[in-house]
PDB file of all heavy atoms in Angstrom:
ATOM      1  N   GLY A  22       0.791  -1.220   0.000  1.00 84.00           N
ATOM      2  CA  GLY A  22       0.000   0.000   0.000  1.00 84.00           C
ATOM      3  C   GLY A  22       0.824   1.271   0.000  1.00 84.00           C
ATOM      4  O   GLY A  22       0.295   2.350  -0.302  1.00 84.00           O
ATOM      5  N   LEU A  23       2.104   1.172   0.336  1.00 88.00           N
ATOM      6  CA  LEU A  23       2.968   2.354   0.370  1.00 88.00           C
ATOM      7  C   LEU A  23       3.497   2.628  -1.031  1.00 88.00           C
ATOM      8  O   LEU A  23       4.271   1.833  -1.578  1.00 88.00           O
ATOM      9  CB  LEU A  23       4.124   2.132   1.351  1.00 88.00           C
ATOM     10  CG  LEU A  23       5.115   3.288   1.514  1.00 88.00           C
ATOM     11  CD1 LEU A  23       4.423   4.510   2.084  1.00 88.00           C
ATOM     12  CD2 LEU A  23       6.284   2.871   2.401  1.00 88.00           C
ATOM     13  N   ASN A  24       3.067   3.750  -1.630  1.00 87.00           N
ATOM     14  CA  ASN A  24       3.519   4.049  -2.985  1.00 87.00           C
ATOM     15  C   ASN A  24       4.930   4.621  -2.971  1.00 87.00           C
ATOM     16  O   ASN A  24       5.450   5.034  -1.933  1.00 87.00           O
ATOM     17  CB  ASN A  24       2.542   5.011  -3.686  1.00 87.00           C
ATOM     18  CG  ASN A  24       2.382   6.330  -2.949  1.00 87.00           C
ATOM     19  OD1 ASN A  24       3.369   6.959  -2.573  1.00 87.00           O
ATOM     20  ND2 ASN A  24       1.142   6.743  -2.737  1.00 87.00           N
ATOM     21  N   ASN A  25       5.542   4.659  -4.135  1.00 85.00           N
ATOM     22  CA  ASN A  25       6.944   5.060  -4.255  1.00 85.00           C
ATOM     23  C   ASN A  25       7.154   6.523  -3.864  1.00 85.00           C
ATOM     24  O   ASN A  25       8.177   6.868  -3.269  1.00 85.00           O
ATOM     25  CB  ASN A  25       7.423   4.831  -5.689  1.00 85.00           C
ATOM     26  CG  ASN A  25       8.917   5.032  -5.832  1.00 85.00           C
ATOM     27  OD1 ASN A  25       9.705   4.329  -5.212  1.00 85.00           O
ATOM     28  ND2 ASN A  25       9.312   5.998  -6.643  1.00 85.00           N
ATOM     29  N   ALA A  26       6.163   7.377  -4.167  1.00 85.00           N
ATOM     30  CA  ALA A  26       6.314   8.806  -3.848  1.00 85.00           C
ATOM     31  C   ALA A  26       6.383   9.023  -2.337  1.00 85.00           C
ATOM     32  O   ALA A  26       7.238   9.773  -1.841  1.00 85.00           O
ATOM     33  CB  ALA A  26       5.145   9.593  -4.439  1.00 85.00           C
ATOM     34  N   ASP A  27       5.486   8.363  -1.597  1.00 87.00           N
ATOM     35  CA  ASP A  27       5.501   8.505  -0.138  1.00 87.00           C
ATOM     36  C   ASP A  27       6.770   7.913   0.460  1.00 87.00           C
ATOM     37  O   ASP A  27       7.331   8.444   1.427  1.00 87.00           O
ATOM     38  CB  ASP A  27       4.271   7.823   0.472  1.00 87.00           C
ATOM     39  CG  ASP A  27       2.992   8.590   0.189  1.00 87.00           C
ATOM     40  OD1 ASP A  27       3.084   9.794  -0.093  1.00 87.00           O
ATOM     41  OD2 ASP A  27       1.901   7.984   0.239  1.00 87.00           O
ATOM     42  N   PHE A  28       7.216   6.789  -0.107  1.00 87.00           N
ATOM     43  CA  PHE A  28       8.439   6.169   0.413  1.00 87.00           C
ATOM     44  C   PHE A  28       9.650   7.071   0.221  1.00 87.00           C
ATOM     45  O   PHE A  28      10.465   7.246   1.124  1.00 87.00           O
ATOM     46  CB  PHE A  28       8.668   4.816  -0.255  1.00 87.00           C
ATOM     47  CG  PHE A  28      10.025   4.230   0.041  1.00 87.00           C
ATOM     48  CD1 PHE A  28      10.365   3.854   1.333  1.00 87.00           C
ATOM     49  CD2 PHE A  28      10.965   4.072  -0.962  1.00 87.00           C
ATOM     50  CE1 PHE A  28      11.617   3.323   1.615  1.00 87.00           C
ATOM     51  CE2 PHE A  28      12.209   3.548  -0.697  1.00 87.00           C
ATOM     52  CZ  PHE A  28      12.536   3.173   0.593  1.00 87.00           C
ATOM     53  N   GLU A  29       9.798   7.644  -0.977  1.00 87.00           N
ATOM     54  CA  GLU A  29      10.931   8.526  -1.247  1.00 87.00           C
ATOM     55  C   GLU A  29      10.902   9.759  -0.343  1.00 87.00           C
ATOM     56  O   GLU A  29      11.943  10.284   0.034  1.00 87.00           O
ATOM     57  CB  GLU A  29      10.918   8.952  -2.723  1.00 87.00           C
ATOM     58  CG  GLU A  29      11.207   7.814  -3.698  1.00 87.00           C
ATOM     59  CD  GLU A  29      12.589   7.210  -3.504  1.00 87.00           C
ATOM     60  OE1 GLU A  29      13.496   7.946  -3.048  1.00 87.00           O
ATOM     61  OE2 GLU A  29      12.764   6.012  -3.781  1.00 87.00           O
ATOM     62  N   LYS A  30       9.690  10.200   0.017  1.00 87.00           N
ATOM     63  CA  LYS A  30       9.560  11.360   0.898  1.00 87.00           C
ATOM     64  C   LYS A  30       9.999  11.009   2.323  1.00 87.00           C
ATOM     65  O   LYS A  30      10.618  11.825   3.019  1.00 87.00           O
ATOM     66  CB  LYS A  30       8.104  11.833   0.899  1.00 87.00           C
ATOM     67  CG  LYS A  30       7.838  13.023   1.824  1.00 87.00           C
ATOM     68  CD  LYS A  30       6.386  13.453   1.739  1.00 87.00           C
ATOM     69  CE  LYS A  30       5.462  12.375   2.256  1.00 87.00           C
ATOM     70  NZ  LYS A  30       4.045  12.803   2.269  1.00 87.00           N
ATOM     71  N   LEU A  31       9.722   9.769   2.750  1.00 89.00           N
ATOM     72  CA  LEU A  31      10.021   9.362   4.121  1.00 89.00           C
ATOM     73  C   LEU A  31      11.394   8.710   4.274  1.00 89.00           C
ATOM     74  O   LEU A  31      11.936   8.658   5.379  1.00 89.00           O
ATOM     75  CB  LEU A  31       8.949   8.381   4.622  1.00 89.00           C
ATOM     76  CG  LEU A  31       7.531   8.938   4.773  1.00 89.00           C
ATOM     77  CD1 LEU A  31       6.566   7.829   5.139  1.00 89.00           C
ATOM     78  CD2 LEU A  31       7.494  10.033   5.827  1.00 89.00           C
ATOM     79  N   LYS A  32      11.955   8.222   3.196  1.00 87.00           N
ATOM     80  CA  LYS A  32      13.215   7.476   3.262  1.00 87.00           C
ATOM     81  C   LYS A  32      14.335   8.228   3.979  1.00 87.00           C
ATOM     82  O   LYS A  32      15.056   7.637   4.796  1.00 87.00           O
ATOM     83  CB  LYS A  32      13.657   7.074   1.851  1.00 87.00           C
ATOM     84  CG  LYS A  32      14.908   6.208   1.827  1.00 87.00           C
ATOM     85  CD  LYS A  32      15.249   5.776   0.402  1.00 87.00           C
ATOM     86  CE  LYS A  32      16.504   4.915   0.380  1.00 87.00           C
ATOM     87  NZ  LYS A  32      16.843   4.489  -1.007  1.00 87.00           N
ATOM     88  N   PRO A  33      14.518   9.535   3.731  1.00 87.00           N
ATOM     89  CA  PRO A  33      15.616  10.239   4.431  1.00 87.00           C
ATOM     90  C   PRO A  33      15.441  10.294   5.943  1.00 87.00           C
ATOM     91  O   PRO A  33      16.400  10.578   6.671  1.00 87.00           O
ATOM     92  CB  PRO A  33      15.573  11.654   3.819  1.00 87.00           C
ATOM     93  CG  PRO A  33      14.871  11.501   2.522  1.00 87.00           C
ATOM     94  CD  PRO A  33      13.866  10.415   2.743  1.00 87.00           C
ATOM     95  N   TYR A  34      14.231  10.036   6.430  1.00 87.00           N
ATOM     96  CA  TYR A  34      13.958  10.140   7.861  1.00 87.00           C
ATOM     97  C   TYR A  34      13.944   8.776   8.565  1.00 87.00           C
ATOM     98  O   TYR A  34      13.737   8.698   9.763  1.00 87.00           O
ATOM     99  CB  TYR A  34      12.614  10.834   8.092  1.00 87.00           C
ATOM    100  CG  TYR A  34      12.569  12.238   7.543  1.00 87.00           C
ATOM    101  CD1 TYR A  34      12.118  12.478   6.245  1.00 87.00           C
ATOM    102  CD2 TYR A  34      12.990  13.318   8.308  1.00 87.00           C
ATOM    103  CE1 TYR A  34      12.091  13.772   5.722  1.00 87.00           C
ATOM    104  CE2 TYR A  34      12.963  14.611   7.802  1.00 87.00           C
ATOM    105  CZ  TYR A  34      12.515  14.828   6.504  1.00 87.00           C
ATOM    106  OH  TYR A  34      12.498  16.105   6.010  1.00 87.00           O
ATOM    107  N   VAL A  35      14.156   7.706   7.805  1.00 88.00           N
ATOM    108  CA  VAL A  35      14.168   6.367   8.402  1.00 88.00           C
ATOM    109  C   VAL A  35      15.461   6.163   9.179  1.00 88.00           C
ATOM    110  O   VAL A  35      16.557   6.359   8.655  1.00 88.00           O
ATOM    111  CB  VAL A  35      14.015   5.279   7.308  1.00 88.00           C
ATOM    112  CG1 VAL A  35      14.137   3.893   7.939  1.00 88.00           C
ATOM    113  CG2 VAL A  35      12.691   5.426   6.593  1.00 88.00           C
ATOM    114  N   ARG A  36      15.342   5.785  10.429  1.00 86.00           N
ATOM    115  CA  ARG A  36      16.495   5.532  11.295  1.00 86.00           C
ATOM    116  C   ARG A  36      16.354   4.129  11.885  1.00 86.00           C
ATOM    117  O   ARG A  36      15.528   3.891  12.766  1.00 86.00           O
ATOM    118  CB  ARG A  36      16.569   6.559  12.428  1.00 86.00           C
ATOM    119  CG  ARG A  36      16.653   8.006  11.966  1.00 86.00           C
ATOM    120  CD  ARG A  36      18.017   8.317  11.368  1.00 86.00           C
ATOM    121  NE  ARG A  36      18.147   9.743  11.086  1.00 86.00           N
ATOM    122  CZ  ARG A  36      17.775  10.304   9.937  1.00 86.00           C
ATOM    123  NH1 ARG A  36      17.267   9.553   8.980  1.00 86.00           N
ATOM    124  NH2 ARG A  36      17.902  11.609   9.748  1.00 86.00           N
ATOM    125  N   ILE A  37      17.120   3.190  11.402  1.00 81.00           N
ATOM    126  CA  ILE A  37      17.065   1.813  11.889  1.00 81.00           C
ATOM    127  C   ILE A  37      18.320   1.530  12.689  1.00 81.00           C
ATOM    128  O   ILE A  37      19.438   1.648  12.167  1.00 81.00           O
ATOM    129  CB  ILE A  37      16.937   0.813  10.727  1.00 81.00           C
ATOM    130  CG1 ILE A  37      15.637   1.067   9.946  1.00 81.00           C
ATOM    131  CG2 ILE A  37      16.966  -0.622  11.252  1.00 81.00           C
ATOM    132  CD1 ILE A  37      15.449   0.178   8.755  1.00 81.00           C
ATOM    133  N   GLN A  38      18.134   1.153  13.935  1.00 71.00           N
ATOM    134  CA  GLN A  38      19.279   0.860  14.785  1.00 71.00           C
ATOM    135  C   GLN A  38      19.918  -0.454  14.343  1.00 71.00           C
ATOM    136  O   GLN A  38      19.244  -1.384  13.924  1.00 71.00           O
ATOM    137  CB  GLN A  38      18.848   0.777  16.248  1.00 71.00           C
ATOM    138  CG  GLN A  38      18.267   2.104  16.752  1.00 71.00           C
ATOM    139  CD  GLN A  38      18.170   2.148  18.244  1.00 71.00           C
ATOM    140  OE1 GLN A  38      18.857   1.411  18.931  1.00 71.00           O
ATOM    141  NE2 GLN A  38      17.317   3.023  18.759  1.00 71.00           N
ATOM    142  N   SER A  39      21.218  -0.522  14.436  1.00 53.00           N
ATOM    143  CA  SER A  39      21.973  -1.671  13.948  1.00 53.00           C
ATOM    144  C   SER A  39      21.644  -2.929  14.738  1.00 53.00           C
ATOM    145  O   SER A  39      21.306  -2.901  15.906  1.00 53.00           O
ATOM    146  CB  SER A  39      23.473  -1.387  14.030  1.00 53.00           C
ATOM    147  OG  SER A  39      23.851  -1.156  15.378  1.00 53.00           O
ATOM    148  N   GLN A  40      21.738  -4.082  14.055  1.00 45.00           N
ATOM    149  CA  GLN A  40      21.510  -5.380  14.673  1.00 45.00           C
ATOM    150  C   GLN A  40      22.648  -6.312  14.271  1.00 45.00           C
ATOM    151  O   GLN A  40      23.176  -6.231  13.185  1.00 45.00           O
ATOM    152  CB  GLN A  40      20.181  -5.976  14.188  1.00 45.00           C
ATOM    153  CG  GLN A  40      18.980  -5.116  14.512  1.00 45.00           C
ATOM    154  CD  GLN A  40      17.718  -5.696  13.880  1.00 45.00           C
ATOM    155  OE1 GLN A  40      17.800  -6.441  12.921  1.00 45.00           O
ATOM    156  NE2 GLN A  40      16.581  -5.358  14.435  1.00 45.00           N
ATOM    157  N   ASN A  41      22.992  -7.241  15.169  1.00 42.00           N
ATOM    158  CA  ASN A  41      23.996  -8.242  14.804  1.00 42.00           C
ATOM    159  C   ASN A  41      23.303  -9.576  14.574  1.00 42.00           C
ATOM    160  O   ASN A  41      22.151  -9.770  14.901  1.00 42.00           O
ATOM    161  CB  ASN A  41      25.074  -8.375  15.884  1.00 42.00           C
ATOM    162  CG  ASN A  41      24.476  -8.619  17.257  1.00 42.00           C
ATOM    163  OD1 ASN A  41      23.678  -9.530  17.425  1.00 42.00           O
ATOM    164  ND2 ASN A  41      24.847  -7.804  18.239  1.00 42.00           N
ATOM    165  N   GLU A  42      24.004 -10.508  14.006  1.00 35.00           N
ATOM    166  CA  GLU A  42      23.409 -11.770  13.609  1.00 35.00           C
ATOM    167  C   GLU A  42      22.974 -12.624  14.794  1.00 35.00           C
ATOM    168  O   GLU A  42      22.053 -13.418  14.691  1.00 35.00           O
ATOM    169  CB  GLU A  42      24.409 -12.567  12.750  1.00 35.00           C
ATOM    170  CG  GLU A  42      24.610 -11.977  11.389  1.00 35.00           C
ATOM    171  CD  GLU A  42      23.330 -11.963  10.590  1.00 35.00           C
ATOM    172  OE1 GLU A  42      22.582 -12.945  10.694  1.00 35.00           O
ATOM    173  OE2 GLU A  42      23.085 -10.967   9.898  1.00 35.00           O
ATOM    174  N   SER A  43      23.633 -12.481  15.919  1.00 33.00           N
ATOM    175  CA  SER A  43      23.302 -13.332  17.059  1.00 33.00           C
ATOM    176  C   SER A  43      22.099 -12.839  17.841  1.00 33.00           C
ATOM    177  O   SER A  43      21.581 -13.545  18.685  1.00 33.00           O
ATOM    178  CB  SER A  43      24.510 -13.427  18.010  1.00 33.00           C
ATOM    179  OG  SER A  43      24.807 -12.143  18.538  1.00 33.00           O
ATOM    180  N   ASP A  44      21.665 -11.604  17.568  1.00 39.00           N
ATOM    181  CA  ASP A  44      20.537 -11.056  18.325  1.00 39.00           C
ATOM    182  C   ASP A  44      19.667 -10.248  17.387  1.00 39.00           C
ATOM    183  O   ASP A  44      20.034  -9.169  16.970  1.00 39.00           O
ATOM    184  CB  ASP A  44      21.059 -10.164  19.460  1.00 39.00           C
ATOM    185  CG  ASP A  44      19.940  -9.733  20.399  1.00 39.00           C
ATOM    186  OD1 ASP A  44      18.774 -10.056  20.097  1.00 39.00           O
ATOM    187  OD2 ASP A  44      20.238  -9.101  21.408  1.00 39.00           O
ATOM    188  N   LYS A  45      18.486 -10.765  17.040  1.00 41.00           N
ATOM    189  CA  LYS A  45      17.614 -10.133  16.062  1.00 41.00           C
ATOM    190  C   LYS A  45      16.348  -9.567  16.675  1.00 41.00           C
ATOM    191  O   LYS A  45      15.422  -9.226  15.966  1.00 41.00           O
ATOM    192  CB  LYS A  45      17.260 -11.137  14.964  1.00 41.00           C
ATOM    193  CG  LYS A  45      18.457 -11.570  14.153  1.00 41.00           C
ATOM    194  CD  LYS A  45      18.052 -12.444  13.002  1.00 41.00           C
ATOM    195  CE  LYS A  45      19.247 -12.834  12.160  1.00 41.00           C
ATOM    196  NZ  LYS A  45      18.883 -13.659  11.006  1.00 41.00           N
ATOM    197  N   PHE A  46      16.286  -9.491  17.962  1.00 39.00           N
ATOM    198  CA  PHE A  46      15.101  -8.943  18.605  1.00 39.00           C
ATOM    199  C   PHE A  46      15.310  -7.462  18.865  1.00 39.00           C
ATOM    200  O   PHE A  46      16.115  -7.048  19.678  1.00 39.00           O
ATOM    201  CB  PHE A  46      14.792  -9.671  19.916  1.00 39.00           C
ATOM    202  CG  PHE A  46      14.431 -11.094  19.692  1.00 39.00           C
ATOM    203  CD1 PHE A  46      15.359 -12.092  19.917  1.00 39.00           C
ATOM    204  CD2 PHE A  46      13.177 -11.427  19.245  1.00 39.00           C
ATOM    205  CE1 PHE A  46      15.019 -13.399  19.699  1.00 39.00           C
ATOM    206  CE2 PHE A  46      12.843 -12.739  19.020  1.00 39.00           C
ATOM    207  CZ  PHE A  46      13.767 -13.733  19.247  1.00 39.00           C
ATOM    208  N   VAL A  47      14.550  -6.638  18.135  1.00 39.00           N
ATOM    209  CA  VAL A  47      14.764  -5.202  18.129  1.00 39.00           C
ATOM    210  C   VAL A  47      14.560  -4.584  19.500  1.00 39.00           C
ATOM    211  O   VAL A  47      15.304  -3.700  19.919  1.00 39.00           O
ATOM    212  CB  VAL A  47      13.794  -4.548  17.112  1.00 39.00           C
ATOM    213  CG1 VAL A  47      13.948  -3.038  17.113  1.00 39.00           C
ATOM    214  CG2 VAL A  47      14.029  -5.121  15.746  1.00 39.00           C
ATOM    215  N   THR A  48      13.586  -5.025  20.233  1.00 41.00           N
ATOM    216  CA  THR A  48      13.287  -4.427  21.534  1.00 41.00           C
ATOM    217  C   THR A  48      14.462  -4.566  22.479  1.00 41.00           C
ATOM    218  O   THR A  48      14.813  -3.650  23.215  1.00 41.00           O
ATOM    219  CB  THR A  48      12.045  -5.098  22.150  1.00 41.00           C
ATOM    220  OG1 THR A  48      10.981  -5.022  21.217  1.00 41.00           O
ATOM    221  CG2 THR A  48      11.631  -4.418  23.445  1.00 41.00           C
ATOM    222  N   GLN A  49      15.092  -5.746  22.480  1.00 41.00           N
ATOM    223  CA  GLN A  49      16.220  -5.993  23.371  1.00 41.00           C
ATOM    224  C   GLN A  49      17.387  -5.082  23.025  1.00 41.00           C
ATOM    225  O   GLN A  49      18.073  -4.557  23.901  1.00 41.00           O
ATOM    226  CB  GLN A  49      16.634  -7.462  23.287  1.00 41.00           C
ATOM    227  CG  GLN A  49      17.626  -7.907  24.349  1.00 41.00           C
ATOM    228  CD  GLN A  49      19.051  -7.698  23.895  1.00 41.00           C
ATOM    229  OE1 GLN A  49      19.294  -7.482  22.723  1.00 41.00           O
ATOM    230  NE2 GLN A  49      19.987  -7.761  24.831  1.00 41.00           N
ATOM    231  N   ILE A  50      17.608  -4.847  21.736  1.00 34.00           N
ATOM    232  CA  ILE A  50      18.731  -4.015  21.312  1.00 34.00           C
ATOM    233  C   ILE A  50      18.509  -2.564  21.712  1.00 34.00           C
ATOM    234  O   ILE A  50      19.404  -1.894  22.234  1.00 34.00           O
ATOM    235  CB  ILE A  50      18.916  -4.113  19.788  1.00 34.00           C
ATOM    236  CG1 ILE A  50      19.292  -5.545  19.418  1.00 34.00           C
ATOM    237  CG2 ILE A  50      19.973  -3.151  19.295  1.00 34.00           C
ATOM    238  CD1 ILE A  50      19.388  -5.764  17.936  1.00 34.00           C
ATOM    239  N   GLN A  51      17.292  -2.071  21.478  1.00 38.00           N
ATOM    240  CA  GLN A  51      17.028  -0.667  21.730  1.00 38.00           C
ATOM    241  C   GLN A  51      17.073  -0.338  23.219  1.00 38.00           C
ATOM    242  O   GLN A  51      17.499   0.739  23.604  1.00 38.00           O
ATOM    243  CB  GLN A  51      15.662  -0.300  21.154  1.00 38.00           C
ATOM    244  CG  GLN A  51      15.648  -0.358  19.633  1.00 38.00           C
ATOM    245  CD  GLN A  51      14.274  -0.021  19.103  1.00 38.00           C
ATOM    246  OE1 GLN A  51      13.285  -0.171  19.791  1.00 38.00           O
ATOM    247  NE2 GLN A  51      14.219   0.427  17.873  1.00 38.00           N
ATOM    248  N   LYS A  52      16.603  -1.265  24.054  1.00 40.00           N
ATOM    249  CA  LYS A  52      16.588  -1.012  25.484  1.00 40.00           C
ATOM    250  C   LYS A  52      17.871  -1.464  26.174  1.00 40.00           C
ATOM    251  O   LYS A  52      18.032  -1.331  27.371  1.00 40.00           O
ATOM    252  CB  LYS A  52      15.384  -1.724  26.117  1.00 40.00           C
ATOM    253  CG  LYS A  52      14.055  -1.149  25.646  1.00 40.00           C
ATOM    254  CD  LYS A  52      12.905  -1.792  26.388  1.00 40.00           C
ATOM    255  CE  LYS A  52      11.578  -1.164  25.965  1.00 40.00           C
ATOM    256  NZ  LYS A  52      10.433  -1.757  26.697  1.00 40.00           N
ATOM    257  N   ASN A  53      18.770  -2.081  25.368  1.00 42.00           N
ATOM    258  CA  ASN A  53      20.050  -2.540  25.890  1.00 42.00           C
ATOM    259  C   ASN A  53      19.853  -3.473  27.089  1.00 42.00           C
ATOM    260  O   ASN A  53      20.526  -3.377  28.103  1.00 42.00           O
ATOM    261  CB  ASN A  53      20.942  -1.348  26.300  1.00 42.00           C
ATOM    262  CG  ASN A  53      22.386  -1.772  26.471  1.00 42.00           C
ATOM    263  OD1 ASN A  53      22.818  -2.768  25.865  1.00 42.00           O
ATOM    264  ND2 ASN A  53      23.123  -1.053  27.282  1.00 42.00           N
TER     265      ASN A  53
END
């Protein structure tokens, strides 16, 4: 449902915190 125009508008604001292969649970990484 997300069209290309909206994605290109939001892409510069996407901030994804890094993950390593041994730990893929985002909540645990963000809360350390």
Side-chain angles (χ1 to χ4, degrees):
L23 181 63
N24 59 48
N25 188 61
D27 288 338
F28 170 65
E29 292 298 331
K30 178 178 65 176
L31 295 174
K32 184 177 180 180
Y34 299 92
V35 176
R36 302 288 187 272
I37 299 178
Q38 298 195 21
S39 61
Q40 300 174 338
N41 53 53
E42 289 298 321
S43 63
D44 188 355
K45 295 186 178 182
F46 295 101
V47 178
T48 306
Q49 191 271 345
I50 296 175
Q51 292 179 336
K52 294 185 177 181
N53 196 25

